[in-house]
mmCIF file of all heavy atoms in Angstrom:
data_model
loop_
_atom_site.group_PDB
_atom_site.id
_atom_site.type_symbol
_atom_site.label_atom_id
_atom_site.label_comp_id
_atom_site.label_asym_id
_atom_site.label_seq_id
_atom_site.Cartn_x
_atom_site.Cartn_y
_atom_site.Cartn_z
ATOM 1 N N LYS A 1294 0.831 -1.212 0.000
ATOM 2 C CA LYS A 1294 0.000 0.000 0.000
ATOM 3 C C LYS A 1294 0.863 1.259 0.000
ATOM 4 O O LYS A 1294 0.450 2.308 -0.521
ATOM 5 C CB LYS A 1294 -0.937 0.002 1.214
ATOM 6 C CG LYS A 1294 -2.078 -1.024 1.124
ATOM 7 C CD LYS A 1294 -2.908 -1.032 2.404
ATOM 8 C CE LYS A 1294 -3.998 -2.077 2.381
ATOM 9 N NZ LYS A 1294 -5.094 -1.755 1.469
ATOM 10 N N LYS A 1295 2.055 1.171 0.592
ATOM 11 C CA LYS A 1295 2.968 2.315 0.627
ATOM 12 C C LYS A 1295 3.900 2.338 -0.594
ATOM 13 O O LYS A 1295 4.837 3.130 -0.655
ATOM 14 C CB LYS A 1295 3.783 2.281 1.924
ATOM 15 C CG LYS A 1295 2.936 2.527 3.174
ATOM 16 C CD LYS A 1295 3.740 2.350 4.448
ATOM 17 C CE LYS A 1295 4.661 3.516 4.701
ATOM 18 N NZ LYS A 1295 3.946 4.789 4.993
ATOM 19 N N ASN A 1296 3.640 1.435 -1.546
ATOM 20 C CA ASN A 1296 4.402 1.324 -2.802
ATOM 21 C C ASN A 1296 5.870 0.947 -2.580
ATOM 22 O O ASN A 1296 6.736 1.257 -3.395
ATOM 23 C CB ASN A 1296 4.314 2.629 -3.613
ATOM 24 C CG ASN A 1296 4.554 2.379 -5.091
ATOM 25 O OD1 ASN A 1296 4.172 1.334 -5.630
ATOM 26 N ND2 ASN A 1296 5.209 3.311 -5.764
ATOM 27 N N LEU A 1297 6.133 0.247 -1.482
ATOM 28 C CA LEU A 1297 7.481 -0.279 -1.215
ATOM 29 C C LEU A 1297 7.503 -1.727 -1.725
ATOM 30 O O LEU A 1297 7.487 -2.685 -0.948
ATOM 31 C CB LEU A 1297 7.790 -0.197 0.281
ATOM 32 C CG LEU A 1297 7.756 1.215 0.883
ATOM 33 C CD1 LEU A 1297 7.791 1.148 2.415
ATOM 34 C CD2 LEU A 1297 8.935 2.038 0.369
ATOM 35 N N LEU A 1298 7.539 -1.868 -3.047
ATOM 36 C CA LEU A 1298 7.263 -3.171 -3.661
ATOM 37 C C LEU A 1298 8.345 -4.212 -3.386
ATOM 38 O O LEU A 1298 8.027 -5.397 -3.240
ATOM 39 C CB LEU A 1298 7.050 -2.998 -5.168
ATOM 40 C CG LEU A 1298 5.869 -2.103 -5.561
ATOM 41 C CD1 LEU A 1298 5.680 -2.119 -7.076
ATOM 42 C CD2 LEU A 1298 4.584 -2.531 -4.857
ATOM 43 N N ASP A 1299 9.598 -3.790 -3.319
ATOM 44 C CA ASP A 1299 10.666 -4.761 -3.049
ATOM 45 C C ASP A 1299 10.528 -5.346 -1.642
ATOM 46 O O ASP A 1299 10.681 -6.555 -1.433
ATOM 47 C CB ASP A 1299 12.049 -4.111 -3.211
ATOM 48 C CG ASP A 1299 12.396 -3.866 -4.676
ATOM 49 O OD1 ASP A 1299 11.794 -4.532 -5.545
ATOM 50 O OD2 ASP A 1299 13.243 -3.005 -4.953
ATOM 51 N N TYR A 1300 10.224 -4.489 -0.667
ATOM 52 C CA TYR A 1300 9.999 -4.968 0.705
ATOM 53 C C TYR A 1300 8.762 -5.869 0.765
ATOM 54 O O TYR A 1300 8.764 -6.897 1.442
ATOM 55 C CB TYR A 1300 9.820 -3.789 1.661
ATOM 56 C CG TYR A 1300 11.081 -3.017 1.937
ATOM 57 C CD1 TYR A 1300 11.267 -1.739 1.408
ATOM 58 C CD2 TYR A 1300 12.099 -3.550 2.729
ATOM 59 C CE1 TYR A 1300 12.429 -1.020 1.658
ATOM 60 C CE2 TYR A 1300 13.260 -2.839 2.989
ATOM 61 C CZ TYR A 1300 13.414 -1.573 2.452
ATOM 62 O OH TYR A 1300 14.563 -0.864 2.705
ATOM 63 N N SER A 1301 7.727 -5.445 0.044
ATOM 64 C CA SER A 1301 6.493 -6.225 0.018
ATOM 65 C C SER A 1301 6.738 -7.622 -0.544
ATOM 66 O O SER A 1301 6.289 -8.628 0.017
ATOM 67 C CB SER A 1301 5.447 -5.495 -0.830
ATOM 68 O OG SER A 1301 4.243 -6.215 -0.869
ATOM 69 N N LYS A 1302 7.482 -7.685 -1.629
ATOM 70 C CA LYS A 1302 7.781 -8.966 -2.272
ATOM 71 C C LYS A 1302 8.513 -9.915 -1.327
ATOM 72 O O LYS A 1302 8.172 -11.103 -1.231
ATOM 73 C CB LYS A 1302 8.617 -8.725 -3.542
ATOM 74 C CG LYS A 1302 8.981 -9.976 -4.300
ATOM 75 C CD LYS A 1302 9.596 -9.641 -5.657
ATOM 76 C CE LYS A 1302 10.923 -8.950 -5.513
ATOM 77 N NZ LYS A 1302 11.566 -8.690 -6.826
ATOM 78 N N GLU A 1303 9.500 -9.379 -0.604
ATOM 79 C CA GLU A 1303 10.263 -10.221 0.324
ATOM 80 C C GLU A 1303 9.384 -10.759 1.453
ATOM 81 O O GLU A 1303 9.527 -11.912 1.864
ATOM 82 C CB GLU A 1303 11.447 -9.436 0.892
ATOM 83 C CG GLU A 1303 12.534 -9.124 -0.126
ATOM 84 C CD GLU A 1303 12.987 -10.363 -0.893
ATOM 85 O OE1 GLU A 1303 13.314 -11.379 -0.236
ATOM 86 O OE2 GLU A 1303 13.006 -10.314 -2.136
ATOM 87 N N GLU A 1304 8.477 -9.934 1.944
ATOM 88 C CA GLU A 1304 7.580 -10.390 3.016
ATOM 89 C C GLU A 1304 6.597 -11.447 2.514
ATOM 90 O O GLU A 1304 6.328 -12.430 3.213
ATOM 91 C CB GLU A 1304 6.822 -9.199 3.620
ATOM 92 C CG GLU A 1304 7.674 -8.275 4.467
ATOM 93 C CD GLU A 1304 8.257 -8.970 5.691
ATOM 94 O OE1 GLU A 1304 7.607 -9.865 6.264
ATOM 95 O OE2 GLU A 1304 9.385 -8.614 6.082
ATOM 96 N N TYR A 1305 6.055 -11.262 1.312
ATOM 97 C CA TYR A 1305 5.144 -12.274 0.758
ATOM 98 C C TYR A 1305 5.879 -13.597 0.532
ATOM 99 O O TYR A 1305 5.325 -14.674 0.753
ATOM 100 C CB TYR A 1305 4.518 -11.789 -0.547
ATOM 101 C CG TYR A 1305 3.378 -10.818 -0.361
ATOM 102 C CD1 TYR A 1305 3.346 -9.616 -1.056
ATOM 103 C CD2 TYR A 1305 2.324 -11.100 0.517
ATOM 104 C CE1 TYR A 1305 2.298 -8.718 -0.893
ATOM 105 C CE2 TYR A 1305 1.273 -10.212 0.679
ATOM 106 C CZ TYR A 1305 1.268 -9.018 -0.022
ATOM 107 O OH TYR A 1305 0.228 -8.135 0.145
ATOM 108 N N LYS A 1306 7.137 -13.513 0.111
ATOM 109 C CA LYS A 1306 7.935 -14.739 -0.060
ATOM 110 C C LYS A 1306 8.135 -15.434 1.280
ATOM 111 O O LYS A 1306 8.115 -16.670 1.360
ATOM 112 C CB LYS A 1306 9.292 -14.405 -0.688
ATOM 113 C CG LYS A 1306 9.222 -14.112 -2.176
ATOM 114 C CD LYS A 1306 10.611 -13.837 -2.734
ATOM 115 C CE LYS A 1306 10.571 -13.616 -4.240
ATOM 116 N NZ LYS A 1306 11.909 -13.318 -4.790
ATOM 117 N N ARG A 1307 8.305 -14.641 2.330
ATOM 118 C CA ARG A 1307 8.468 -15.221 3.674
ATOM 119 C C ARG A 1307 7.192 -15.928 4.111
ATOM 120 O O ARG A 1307 7.243 -16.976 4.761
ATOM 121 C CB ARG A 1307 8.833 -14.099 4.662
ATOM 122 C CG ARG A 1307 9.067 -14.582 6.071
ATOM 123 C CD ARG A 1307 10.369 -15.344 6.212
ATOM 124 N NE ARG A 1307 10.524 -15.847 7.572
ATOM 125 C CZ ARG A 1307 10.573 -17.134 7.900
ATOM 126 N NH1 ARG A 1307 10.493 -18.060 6.957
ATOM 127 N NH2 ARG A 1307 10.725 -17.507 9.150
ATOM 128 N N VAL A 1308 6.055 -15.364 3.758
ATOM 129 C CA VAL A 1308 4.763 -16.005 4.057
ATOM 130 C C VAL A 1308 4.734 -17.412 3.480
ATOM 131 O O VAL A 1308 4.359 -18.377 4.148
ATOM 132 C CB VAL A 1308 3.595 -15.169 3.475
ATOM 133 C CG1 VAL A 1308 2.269 -15.940 3.572
ATOM 134 C CG2 VAL A 1308 3.472 -13.838 4.209
ATOM 135 N N VAL A 1309 5.157 -17.533 2.236
ATOM 136 C CA VAL A 1309 5.139 -18.826 1.542
ATOM 137 C C VAL A 1309 6.160 -19.783 2.148
ATOM 138 O O VAL A 1309 5.919 -20.984 2.255
ATOM 139 C CB VAL A 1309 5.392 -18.625 0.032
ATOM 140 C CG1 VAL A 1309 5.532 -19.961 -0.671
ATOM 141 C CG2 VAL A 1309 4.264 -17.803 -0.581
ATOM 142 N N GLU A 1310 7.310 -19.239 2.567
ATOM 143 C CA GLU A 1310 8.339 -20.083 3.197
ATOM 144 C C GLU A 1310 7.825 -20.714 4.490
ATOM 145 O O GLU A 1310 8.117 -21.872 4.786
ATOM 146 C CB GLU A 1310 9.586 -19.246 3.508
ATOM 147 C CG GLU A 1310 10.436 -18.921 2.291
ATOM 148 C CD GLU A 1310 11.548 -17.948 2.641
ATOM 149 O OE1 GLU A 1310 11.775 -17.708 3.849
ATOM 150 O OE2 GLU A 1310 12.188 -17.420 1.713
ATOM 151 N N ILE A 1311 7.064 -19.956 5.255
ATOM 152 C CA ILE A 1311 6.557 -20.458 6.540
ATOM 153 C C ILE A 1311 5.558 -21.587 6.328
ATOM 154 O O ILE A 1311 5.590 -22.612 7.010
ATOM 155 C CB ILE A 1311 5.928 -19.302 7.354
ATOM 156 C CG1 ILE A 1311 7.025 -18.319 7.782
ATOM 157 C CG2 ILE A 1311 5.196 -19.842 8.592
ATOM 158 C CD1 ILE A 1311 6.498 -17.010 8.346
ATOM 159 N N ASN A 1312 4.662 -21.409 5.370
ATOM 160 C CA ASN A 1312 3.669 -22.452 5.045
ATOM 161 C C ASN A 1312 3.142 -22.167 3.651
ATOM 162 O O ASN A 1312 2.484 -21.151 3.424
ATOM 163 C CB ASN A 1312 2.527 -22.440 6.066
ATOM 164 C CG ASN A 1312 1.544 -23.595 5.836
ATOM 165 O OD1 ASN A 1312 1.480 -24.179 4.764
ATOM 166 N ND2 ASN A 1312 0.770 -23.922 6.856
ATOM 167 N N ASN A 1313 3.451 -23.066 2.706
ATOM 168 C CA ASN A 1313 3.062 -22.822 1.318
ATOM 169 C C ASN A 1313 1.765 -23.521 0.930
ATOM 170 O O ASN A 1313 1.477 -23.699 -0.252
ATOM 171 C CB ASN A 1313 4.182 -23.246 0.358
ATOM 172 C CG ASN A 1313 4.432 -24.751 0.390
ATOM 173 O OD1 ASN A 1313 3.797 -25.481 1.165
ATOM 174 N ND2 ASN A 1313 5.342 -25.216 -0.444
ATOM 175 N N ASN A 1314 0.976 -23.904 1.941
ATOM 176 C CA ASN A 1314 -0.209 -24.711 1.631
ATOM 177 C C ASN A 1314 -1.438 -24.266 2.427
ATOM 178 O O ASN A 1314 -2.239 -25.089 2.852
ATOM 179 C CB ASN A 1314 0.090 -26.193 1.910
ATOM 180 C CG ASN A 1314 -0.935 -27.118 1.290
ATOM 181 O OD1 ASN A 1314 -1.499 -26.822 0.233
ATOM 182 N ND2 ASN A 1314 -1.210 -28.233 1.943
ATOM 183 N N ASN A 1315 -1.573 -22.951 2.628
ATOM 184 C CA ASN A 1315 -2.770 -22.468 3.324
ATOM 185 C C ASN A 1315 -3.268 -21.200 2.643
ATOM 186 O O ASN A 1315 -2.746 -20.776 1.603
ATOM 187 C CB ASN A 1315 -2.494 -22.250 4.815
ATOM 188 C CG ASN A 1315 -1.453 -21.177 5.073
ATOM 189 O OD1 ASN A 1315 -1.008 -20.482 4.162
ATOM 190 N ND2 ASN A 1315 -1.051 -21.031 6.318
ATOM 191 N N ASP A 1316 -4.279 -20.563 3.253
ATOM 192 C CA ASP A 1316 -4.917 -19.421 2.612
ATOM 193 C C ASP A 1316 -3.998 -18.210 2.543
ATOM 194 O O ASP A 1316 -4.054 -17.444 1.577
ATOM 195 C CB ASP A 1316 -6.208 -19.064 3.364
ATOM 196 C CG ASP A 1316 -7.231 -18.423 2.447
ATOM 197 O OD1 ASP A 1316 -7.390 -18.903 1.305
ATOM 198 O OD2 ASP A 1316 -7.870 -17.437 2.860
ATOM 199 N N PHE A 1317 -3.150 -18.032 3.564
ATOM 200 C CA PHE A 1317 -2.189 -16.928 3.498
ATOM 201 C C PHE A 1317 -1.227 -17.117 2.323
ATOM 202 O O PHE A 1317 -0.875 -16.156 1.630
ATOM 203 C CB PHE A 1317 -1.405 -16.820 4.803
ATOM 204 C CG PHE A 1317 -2.183 -16.213 5.936
ATOM 205 C CD1 PHE A 1317 -2.401 -16.922 7.097
ATOM 206 C CD2 PHE A 1317 -2.703 -14.935 5.833
ATOM 207 C CE1 PHE A 1317 -3.124 -16.375 8.154
ATOM 208 C CE2 PHE A 1317 -3.433 -14.371 6.882
ATOM 209 C CZ PHE A 1317 -3.642 -15.096 8.039
ATOM 210 N N ALA A 1318 -0.801 -18.359 2.100
ATOM 211 C CA ALA A 1318 0.092 -18.649 0.972
ATOM 212 C C ALA A 1318 -0.607 -18.359 -0.352
ATOM 213 O O ALA A 1318 -0.018 -17.768 -1.263
ATOM 214 C CB ALA A 1318 0.553 -20.097 1.027
ATOM 215 N N ARG A 1319 -1.880 -18.773 -0.456
ATOM 216 C CA ARG A 1319 -2.643 -18.525 -1.695
ATOM 217 C C ARG A 1319 -2.689 -17.024 -2.003
ATOM 218 O O ARG A 1319 -2.393 -16.592 -3.122
ATOM 219 C CB ARG A 1319 -4.049 -19.081 -1.553
ATOM 220 C CG ARG A 1319 -4.968 -18.780 -2.742
ATOM 221 C CD ARG A 1319 -6.395 -19.216 -2.473
ATOM 222 N NE ARG A 1319 -7.010 -18.473 -1.393
ATOM 223 C CZ ARG A 1319 -7.536 -17.261 -1.524
ATOM 224 N NH1 ARG A 1319 -7.504 -16.649 -2.686
ATOM 225 N NH2 ARG A 1319 -8.096 -16.660 -0.486
ATOM 226 N N LYS A 1320 -3.026 -16.232 -1.002
ATOM 227 C CA LYS A 1320 -3.114 -14.787 -1.204
ATOM 228 C C LYS A 1320 -1.739 -14.182 -1.489
ATOM 229 O O LYS A 1320 -1.617 -13.248 -2.290
ATOM 230 C CB LYS A 1320 -3.735 -14.132 0.021
ATOM 231 C CG LYS A 1320 -5.218 -14.456 0.203
ATOM 232 C CD LYS A 1320 -5.766 -13.811 1.461
ATOM 233 C CE LYS A 1320 -7.229 -14.148 1.664
ATOM 234 N NZ LYS A 1320 -7.775 -13.557 2.906
ATOM 235 N N ALA A 1321 -0.714 -14.729 -0.830
ATOM 236 C CA ALA A 1321 0.648 -14.232 -1.069
ATOM 237 C C ALA A 1321 1.072 -14.501 -2.510
ATOM 238 O O ALA A 1321 1.671 -13.628 -3.161
ATOM 239 C CB ALA A 1321 1.624 -14.894 -0.094
ATOM 240 N N TYR A 1322 0.761 -15.697 -3.037
ATOM 241 C CA TYR A 1322 1.087 -16.012 -4.436
ATOM 242 C C TYR A 1322 0.391 -15.029 -5.384
ATOM 243 O O TYR A 1322 0.999 -14.543 -6.356
ATOM 244 C CB TYR A 1322 0.659 -17.433 -4.774
ATOM 245 C CG TYR A 1322 1.617 -18.513 -4.319
ATOM 246 C CD1 TYR A 1322 1.161 -19.646 -3.637
ATOM 247 C CD2 TYR A 1322 2.983 -18.427 -4.587
ATOM 248 C CE1 TYR A 1322 2.031 -20.645 -3.225
ATOM 249 C CE2 TYR A 1322 3.861 -19.423 -4.182
ATOM 250 C CZ TYR A 1322 3.381 -20.527 -3.503
ATOM 251 O OH TYR A 1322 4.249 -21.514 -3.102
ATOM 252 N N ILE A 1323 -0.883 -14.738 -5.105
ATOM 253 C CA ILE A 1323 -1.621 -13.791 -5.964
ATOM 254 C C ILE A 1323 -0.940 -12.424 -5.931
ATOM 255 O O ILE A 1323 -0.707 -11.797 -6.978
ATOM 256 C CB ILE A 1323 -3.094 -13.674 -5.509
ATOM 257 C CG1 ILE A 1323 -3.836 -14.981 -5.764
ATOM 258 C CG2 ILE A 1323 -3.791 -12.524 -6.243
ATOM 259 C CD1 ILE A 1323 -5.216 -15.047 -5.124
ATOM 260 N N ASN A 1324 -0.600 -11.963 -4.747
ATOM 261 C CA ASN A 1324 0.005 -10.631 -4.618
ATOM 262 C C ASN A 1324 1.413 -10.590 -5.195
ATOM 263 O O ASN A 1324 1.827 -9.558 -5.743
ATOM 264 C CB ASN A 1324 -0.005 -10.198 -3.156
ATOM 265 C CG ASN A 1324 -1.421 -9.959 -2.652
ATOM 266 O OD1 ASN A 1324 -2.320 -9.669 -3.428
ATOM 267 N ND2 ASN A 1324 -1.627 -10.094 -1.354
ATOM 268 N N LEU A 1325 2.149 -11.689 -5.075
ATOM 269 C CA LEU A 1325 3.459 -11.761 -5.741
ATOM 270 C C LEU A 1325 3.290 -11.656 -7.258
ATOM 271 O O LEU A 1325 4.110 -11.035 -7.944
ATOM 272 C CB LEU A 1325 4.164 -13.070 -5.371
ATOM 273 C CG LEU A 1325 4.816 -13.104 -3.982
ATOM 274 C CD1 LEU A 1325 5.170 -14.530 -3.579
ATOM 275 C CD2 LEU A 1325 6.067 -12.220 -3.946
ATOM 276 N N GLY A 1326 2.219 -12.261 -7.759
ATOM 277 C CA GLY A 1326 1.929 -12.154 -9.187
ATOM 278 C C GLY A 1326 1.651 -10.721 -9.604
ATOM 279 O O GLY A 1326 2.165 -10.239 -10.631
ATOM 280 N N ILE A 1327 0.855 -10.010 -8.806
ATOM 281 C CA ILE A 1327 0.532 -8.613 -9.116
ATOM 282 C C ILE A 1327 1.795 -7.749 -9.081
ATOM 283 O O ILE A 1327 2.000 -6.885 -9.946
ATOM 284 C CB ILE A 1327 -0.503 -8.066 -8.107
ATOM 285 C CG1 ILE A 1327 -1.813 -8.856 -8.182
ATOM 286 C CG2 ILE A 1327 -0.763 -6.585 -8.357
ATOM 287 C CD1 ILE A 1327 -2.512 -8.806 -9.512
ATOM 288 N N ILE A 1328 2.660 -7.995 -8.091
ATOM 289 C CA ILE A 1328 3.915 -7.235 -8.002
ATOM 290 C C ILE A 1328 4.796 -7.528 -9.218
ATOM 291 O O ILE A 1328 5.411 -6.617 -9.789
ATOM 292 C CB ILE A 1328 4.656 -7.559 -6.688
ATOM 293 C CG1 ILE A 1328 3.873 -7.018 -5.493
ATOM 294 C CG2 ILE A 1328 6.077 -6.983 -6.699
ATOM 295 C CD1 ILE A 1328 4.375 -7.478 -4.137
ATOM 296 N N ALA A 1329 4.853 -8.796 -9.611
ATOM 297 C CA ALA A 1329 5.666 -9.159 -10.785
ATOM 298 C C ALA A 1329 5.178 -8.447 -12.042
ATOM 299 O O ALA A 1329 5.981 -8.046 -12.897
ATOM 300 C CB ALA A 1329 5.635 -10.674 -10.982
ATOM 301 N N LEU A 1330 3.859 -8.264 -12.152
ATOM 302 C CA LEU A 1330 3.300 -7.553 -13.318
ATOM 303 C C LEU A 1330 3.756 -6.098 -13.374
ATOM 304 O O LEU A 1330 3.801 -5.499 -14.445
ATOM 305 C CB LEU A 1330 1.769 -7.583 -13.286
ATOM 306 C CG LEU A 1330 1.063 -8.826 -13.798
ATOM 307 C CD1 LEU A 1330 -0.440 -8.639 -13.723
ATOM 308 C CD2 LEU A 1330 1.479 -9.168 -15.216
ATOM 309 N N LYS A 1331 4.081 -5.547 -12.194
ATOM 310 C CA LYS A 1331 4.487 -4.140 -12.130
ATOM 311 C C LYS A 1331 5.983 -3.967 -12.404
ATOM 312 O O LYS A 1331 6.492 -2.844 -12.355
ATOM 313 C CB LYS A 1331 4.161 -3.570 -10.747
ATOM 314 C CG LYS A 1331 2.662 -3.480 -10.450
ATOM 315 C CD LYS A 1331 2.439 -3.002 -9.017
ATOM 316 C CE LYS A 1331 0.961 -2.874 -8.695
ATOM 317 N NZ LYS A 1331 0.363 -1.661 -9.276
ATOM 318 N N SER A 1332 6.685 -5.053 -12.679
ATOM 319 C CA SER A 1332 8.132 -4.997 -12.886
ATOM 320 C C SER A 1332 8.491 -4.080 -14.061
ATOM 321 O O SER A 1332 7.944 -4.205 -15.154
ATOM 322 C CB SER A 1332 8.682 -6.400 -13.153
ATOM 323 O OG SER A 1332 10.045 -6.341 -13.497
ATOM 324 N N LYS A 1333 9.407 -3.154 -13.790
ATOM 325 C CA LYS A 1333 9.844 -2.223 -14.836
ATOM 326 C C LYS A 1333 11.156 -2.668 -15.476
ATOM 327 O O LYS A 1333 11.558 -2.156 -16.510
ATOM 328 C CB LYS A 1333 10.005 -0.828 -14.246
ATOM 329 C CG LYS A 1333 8.683 -0.221 -13.772
ATOM 330 C CD LYS A 1333 8.891 1.147 -13.143
ATOM 331 C CE LYS A 1333 7.566 1.723 -12.653
ATOM 332 N NZ LYS A 1333 7.754 3.035 -11.981
ATOM 333 N N LYS A 1334 11.837 -3.635 -14.849
ATOM 334 C CA LYS A 1334 13.153 -4.058 -15.346
ATOM 335 C C LYS A 1334 13.020 -4.915 -16.601
ATOM 336 O O LYS A 1334 13.691 -4.705 -17.591
ATOM 337 C CB LYS A 1334 13.899 -4.832 -14.250
ATOM 338 C CG LYS A 1334 14.256 -3.982 -13.035
ATOM 339 C CD LYS A 1334 14.942 -4.819 -11.965
ATOM 340 C CE LYS A 1334 15.225 -3.973 -10.723
ATOM 341 N NZ LYS A 1334 15.827 -4.784 -9.637
ATOM 342 N N ASP A 1335 12.170 -5.921 -16.540
ATOM 343 C CA ASP A 1335 12.011 -6.860 -17.656
ATOM 344 C C ASP A 1335 10.535 -7.262 -17.711
ATOM 345 O O ASP A 1335 10.095 -8.158 -16.992
ATOM 346 C CB ASP A 1335 12.908 -8.084 -17.430
ATOM 347 C CG ASP A 1335 12.920 -9.014 -18.639
ATOM 348 O OD1 ASP A 1335 11.949 -8.981 -19.429
ATOM 349 O OD2 ASP A 1335 13.891 -9.777 -18.784
ATOM 350 N N LYS A 1336 9.789 -6.601 -18.587
ATOM 351 C CA LYS A 1336 8.338 -6.795 -18.624
ATOM 352 C C LYS A 1336 7.976 -8.232 -18.972
ATOM 353 O O LYS A 1336 7.083 -8.828 -18.352
ATOM 354 C CB LYS A 1336 7.714 -5.837 -19.642
ATOM 355 C CG LYS A 1336 6.196 -5.881 -19.628
ATOM 356 C CD LYS A 1336 5.590 -4.854 -20.547
ATOM 357 C CE LYS A 1336 4.076 -4.943 -20.512
ATOM 358 N NZ LYS A 1336 3.435 -3.954 -21.405
ATOM 359 N N ILE A 1337 8.655 -8.816 -19.957
ATOM 360 C CA ILE A 1337 8.328 -10.180 -20.382
ATOM 361 C C ILE A 1337 8.579 -11.177 -19.251
ATOM 362 O O ILE A 1337 7.742 -12.034 -18.957
ATOM 363 C CB ILE A 1337 9.151 -10.575 -21.637
ATOM 364 C CG1 ILE A 1337 8.727 -9.694 -22.817
ATOM 365 C CG2 ILE A 1337 8.948 -12.051 -21.972
ATOM 366 C CD1 ILE A 1337 9.579 -9.850 -24.042
ATOM 367 N N LYS A 1338 9.734 -11.024 -18.600
ATOM 368 C CA LYS A 1338 10.057 -11.913 -17.478
ATOM 369 C C LYS A 1338 9.066 -11.711 -16.335
ATOM 370 O O LYS A 1338 8.649 -12.671 -15.673
ATOM 371 C CB LYS A 1338 11.483 -11.642 -17.000
ATOM 372 C CG LYS A 1338 12.018 -12.682 -16.025
ATOM 373 C CD LYS A 1338 13.482 -12.408 -15.710
ATOM 374 C CE LYS A 1338 14.019 -13.433 -14.723
ATOM 375 N NZ LYS A 1338 15.446 -13.178 -14.386
ATOM 376 N N GLY A 1339 8.664 -10.460 -16.103
ATOM 377 C CA GLY A 1339 7.705 -10.155 -15.052
ATOM 378 C C GLY A 1339 6.365 -10.818 -15.301
ATOM 379 O O GLY A 1339 5.746 -11.362 -14.373
ATOM 380 N N ILE A 1340 5.925 -10.826 -16.556
ATOM 381 C CA ILE A 1340 4.652 -11.458 -16.911
ATOM 382 C C ILE A 1340 4.709 -12.963 -16.672
ATOM 383 O O ILE A 1340 3.771 -13.559 -16.137
ATOM 384 C CB ILE A 1340 4.283 -11.149 -18.386
ATOM 385 C CG1 ILE A 1340 3.912 -9.667 -18.532
ATOM 386 C CG2 ILE A 1340 3.139 -12.038 -18.863
ATOM 387 C CD1 ILE A 1340 3.761 -9.216 -19.970
ATOM 388 N N GLU A 1341 5.824 -13.583 -17.061
ATOM 389 C CA GLU A 1341 5.958 -15.027 -16.869
ATOM 390 C C GLU A 1341 6.003 -15.396 -15.382
ATOM 391 O O GLU A 1341 5.415 -16.389 -14.955
ATOM 392 C CB GLU A 1341 7.233 -15.530 -17.579
ATOM 393 C CG GLU A 1341 7.188 -15.405 -19.094
ATOM 394 C CD GLU A 1341 5.935 -16.027 -19.698
ATOM 395 O OE1 GLU A 1341 5.582 -17.163 -19.310
ATOM 396 O OE2 GLU A 1341 5.297 -15.369 -20.533
#
């Protein structure tokens, strides 16, 4: 929400590391996907 996307990405990855098979993990994967779409470095890689 504060547009600190790199920090956000690392925290969502930590969510998945703790437990990759629950509802928090599902939502974290979705949000990691949205952050990847916003990638300015490599758009094609971000989409994949």
Side-chain angles (χ1 to χ4, degrees):
K1294 288 176 183 289
K1295 292 174 75 66
N1296 204 35
L1297 300 168
L1298 299 185
D1299 287 339
Y1300 288 108
S1301 180
K1302 180 170 66 177
E1303 291 309 309
E1304 288 297 326
Y1305 281 130
K1306 284 182 177 179
R1307 182 72 183 116
V1308 170
V1309 174
E1310 284 173 11
I1311 292 168
N1312 185 340
N1313 65 358
N1314 195 32
N1315 63 7
D1316 209 42
F1317 284 120
R1319 175 187 65 81
K1320 291 178 181 179
Y1322 279 132
I1323 292 170
N1324 293 335
L1325 282 166
I1327 298 299
I1328 292 170
L1330 278 182
K1331 294 176 179 283
S1332 174
K1333 294 178 181 177
K1334 294 178 183 177
D1335 187 336
K1336 186 175 179 180
I1337 295 172
K1338 191 175 179 181
I1340 290 170
E1341 294 308 314

